Amino acid sequence: MEKVTVHFLGAAGTVTGSKFLVETNGMRIMVDCGMFQGVKSLRELNWQYLPVDASTIDVVLLTHGHMDHSGWLPRLVKMGFKGKIIATRPTLQIAEVILRDSAKIQMEDADRANREEFTEHSPAEPLYDMDDVEHTLKHFKAIHIKEEVELSEIISARFINNGHIIGSTFIELKVGEKLLVFSGDIGRNDDLLMHRPERPTKADVLFIESTYGDRLHPQEDTKDRLRELITRTVALGGTVMIPSFAVERAQTLMYLLWQLRLEKAIPHVPFIMDSPMGANVLDVFRNNPEWHRLSFKDCEEMCHQFDIIRDYKDTMEQVADLRPKVVVAGSGMVTGGRVLAYMAKHLERPESMVLLAGYQAAGTRGRQLQEGATEIKFHGNYHQVKCHLEQLEGLSAHADQAELLDWMGELEEAPQQVFVIHGEALAADNFRLKIKERFGYQASVPMLHDIVELQLE
Ligand SMILES: [Zn+2]
């Protein structure tokens, strides 16, 4: 058996920055190329150089389009990567939306830092700009689900649905007779919009995510809770503001709101979807009907219930109108985006409500609100928080511990090696123990920058 070496360049000991470099038979294959996100020490890793020259990497395979799996691609291209970036069509469409947004934010951040001169690096530079994104898109190559993609005479890859977001897959990388399986992010067993994840039946080496490796998701009837919170707020004459991630979360919220309207379960107030990025993701849903559970007609009817806002002028009109409504707007952790325009007006109104619908990372305004801050600062001013604050717990797009174990449960034989990746240290280690307990497999939790030669018999 030929040598296979794996460099753990991201999502090892942490959740973000997914990047695995596989070296074998004279090829260098990168699986995912994600951005590190979160606290500053993690974000600074995005400026590090790779252990190999980017121009010597032959190909990138993407499991899905989320920022922490695709967001570093323009940097890789800027460093000289010349190969193809291979994924399913919706994954590449989502990646395009995300990369354009990411370049815009980085260019704005660098400009602001230079204007206000608070940077240690002068002048501040973006990690990449819009031109870098344009160059990156030229490397994209879409493949069909389950198609055998030949990378060399003895290496091939297959992409198989894993129900996390539109286009998302796990990847089987075949080297000779051996199969390396990269789980990507695994979806829920009963997602409202995605098809059920498929499961691998064979893996000589398994790389499995562990984002929720130490937890079970709460059993909450999300739709009913949404009904109750909206009804209560509208009765007070307030507005419900739901900060939301543009990919998937926004569409799931739209779906639930549409269902509540169909059932006439809530008062008839305007629904606003205020996120240009969310609107672009809706287009990806429209263009790829086989990838989700909504029919074309469902999609159209759902969208028809919403004022879908792209133009900032329309945002300001909506903000000025104090009549009750439900607003879904970015960003999901209140770090920026249109939701701030609504908050500037409504945070101080006791009748209104902020409804947090996802994970709020340390250091974000979303986390401050979650922890009961009485004021938060944005756009250069402090804003008093007098409105209600509530949370929806049941909307995760990630498998929980039980679902992760289910996903592994169809392997016909024990893998020779299992690596637990894509989890905070505690979650990953807890999941490693669970794997041992349930299946008797010895798994390991690699550290960032580990280089491992695979033991393949
Ligand atoms: Zn993801």
Side-chain angles (χ1 to χ4, degrees):
M1 182 62 210
E2 316 244 5
K3 204 166 99 164
V4 183
T5 307
V6 179
H7 298 243
F8 293 90
L9 300 176
T14 180
V15 171
T16 60
S18 252
K19 244 181 251 99
F20 308 98
L21 184 66
V22 180
E23 290 186 289
T24 185
N25 291 279
M27 270 198 101
R28 287 186 165 145
I29 300 155
M30 188 177 263
V31 178
D32 282 341
C33 188
M35 186 88 104
F36 287 100
Q37 297 170 284
V39 294
K40 194 174 176 199
S41 57
L42 275 175
R43 281 182 281 129
E44 280 179 348
L45 291 171
N46 292 317
W47 291 94
Q48 283 193 351
Y49 285 91
L50 289 170
V52 302
D53 186 340
S55 68
T56 66
I57 297 172
D58 298 281
V59 65
V60 176
L61 313 177
L62 288 188
T63 60
H64 65 293
H66 268 153
M67 184 73 175
D68 58 326
H69 293 257
S70 74
W72 208 71
L73 284 169
R75 189 75 191 162
L76 187 74
V77 169
K78 198 174 169 147
M79 285 173 151
F81 172 73
K82 304 227 162 14
K84 290 268 176 277
I85 297 165
I86 301 178
T88 64
R89 189 175 68 158
T91 289
L92 296 175
Q93 291 172 346
I94 293 287
E96 177 175 347
V97 171
I98 282 183
L99 295 180
R100 287 186 192 281
D101 186 67
S102 168
K104 187 166 150 269
I105 290 171
Q106 290 181 62
M107 289 161 76
E108 285 168 0
D109 283 354
D111 272 356
R112 193 176 317 117
N114 289 329
R115 245 190 350 261
E116 296 171 11
E117 290 178 20
F118 58 67
T119 172
E120 301 153 31
H121 322 274
S122 66
E125 283 191 34
L127 200 54
Y128 49 80
D129 60 22
M130 209 55 93
D131 285 344
D132 297 317
V133 172
E134 295 300 337
H135 293 144
T136 303
L137 301 179
K138 295 191 182 113
H139 295 251
F140 280 12
K141 180 179 185 319
I143 45 82
H144 292 292
I145 200 84
K146 290 188 181 169
E147 172 189 343
E148 187 105 19
V149 184
E150 274 196 21
L151 304 177
S152 80
E153 271 179 21
I154 62 159
I155 307 174
S156 63
R158 283 204 322 150
F159 296 68
I160 301 167
N161 165 51
N162 71 352
H164 165 62
I165 63 167
I166 193 160
S168 73
T169 58
F170 68 89
I171 295 177
E172 291 181 347
L173 184 64
K174 199 168 166 201
V175 181
E177 291 305 307
K178 298 296 175 187
L179 205 56
L180 279 54
V181 174
F182 293 86
S183 74
D185 288 355
I186 300 167
R188 308 291 302 274
N189 286 342
D190 300 297
D191 192 272
L192 290 168
L193 301 183
M194 293 297 108
H195 298 300
R196 203 178 172 86
E198 292 193 45
R199 296 167 180 179
T201 54
K202 185 177 182 298
D204 294 293
V205 182
L206 177 63
F207 301 79
I208 185 161
E209 68 122 330
S210 58
T211 318
Y212 287 94
D214 59 346
R215 268 167 292 170
L216 297 175
H217 291 312
Q219 298 289 329
E220 180 184 69
D221 183 340
T222 311
K223 193 169 76 176
D224 194 54
R225 184 149 163 77
L226 203 49
R227 179 194 60 74
E228 186 226 317
L229 295 172
I230 292 171
T231 308
R232 203 203 310 161
T233 306
V234 172
L236 294 171
T239 281
V240 180
M241 297 167 277
I242 314 182
S244 171
F245 303 106
V247 182
E248 221 71 17
R249 188 64 43 89
Q251 294 76 38
T252 306
L253 285 163
M254 286 176 74
Y255 175 80
L256 289 169
L257 290 167
W258 173 51
Q259 292 296 304
L260 286 169
R261 175 156 292 167
L262 283 179
E263 293 163 16
K264 299 192 168 46
I266 50 173
H268 195 96
V269 293
F271 292 161
I272 315 293
M273 222 285 285
D274 195 341
S275 158
M277 204 172 152
N280 291 335
V281 175
L282 273 177
D283 291 340
V284 180
F285 270 71
R286 284 196 189 97
N287 294 334
N288 297 282
E290 71 283 14
W291 273 94
H292 56 78
R293 295 163 65 163
L294 296 177
S295 68
F296 184 77
K297 191 162 151 273
D298 287 346
C299 242
E300 294 308 301
E301 275 182 28
M302 178 175 95
C303 292
H304 194 65
Q305 302 302 322
F306 283 77
D307 275 333
I308 298 177
I309 296 185
R310 291 182 190 256
D311 198 331
Y312 197 67
K313 183 170 66 58
D314 299 330
T315 300
M316 294 322 289
E317 263 174 37
Q318 286 295 344
V319 168
D321 180 353
L322 292 183
R323 284 176 293 181
K325 56 180 153 295
V326 180
V327 181
V328 178
S331 70
M333 297 192 280
V334 203
T335 49
R338 302 274 177 97
V339 78
L340 290 176
Y342 293 87
M343 287 194 174
K345 191 85 174 180
H346 291 276
L347 276 182
E348 298 184 6
R349 298 179 70 217
E351 60 272 34
S352 286
M353 176 181 290
V354 172
L355 179 53
L356 298 172
Y359 178 71
Q360 306 296 322
T364 62
R365 292 191 194 92
R367 176 67 77 87
Q368 286 176 282
L369 287 166
Q370 195 174 38
E371 290 177 345
T374 54
E375 57 176 17
I376 58 171
K377 191 181 178 189
F378 55 89
H379 298 162
N381 294 310
Y382 283 95
H383 298 263
Q384 300 284 317
V385 182
K386 293 182 182 159
C387 68
H388 293 269
L389 186 102
E390 298 286 348
Q391 296 183 65
L392 284 180
E393 307 257 13
L395 284 178
S396 178
H398 277 275
D400 65 8
Q401 186 190 66
E403 289 166 321
L404 288 172
L405 289 167
D406 281 354
W407 189 84
M408 290 179 65
E410 286 181 23
L411 293 174
E412 286 157 6
E413 285 175 37
Q416 295 177 30
Q417 277 174 289
V418 178
F419 296 98
V420 178
I421 52 168
H422 204 282
E424 301 298 347
L426 267 177
D429 203 54
N430 203 307
F431 191 56
R432 176 186 69 80
L433 293 170
K434 273 282 164 190
I435 291 173
K436 168 92 177 139
E437 188 185 304
R438 169 78 74 93
F439 304 108
Y441 305 158
Q442 287 290 353
S444 58
V445 181
M447 303 270 290
L448 190 59
H449 299 132
D450 274 0
I451 301 174
V452 178
E453 194 173 318
L454 299 182
Q455 308 294 324
L456 295 166
E457 285 151 22

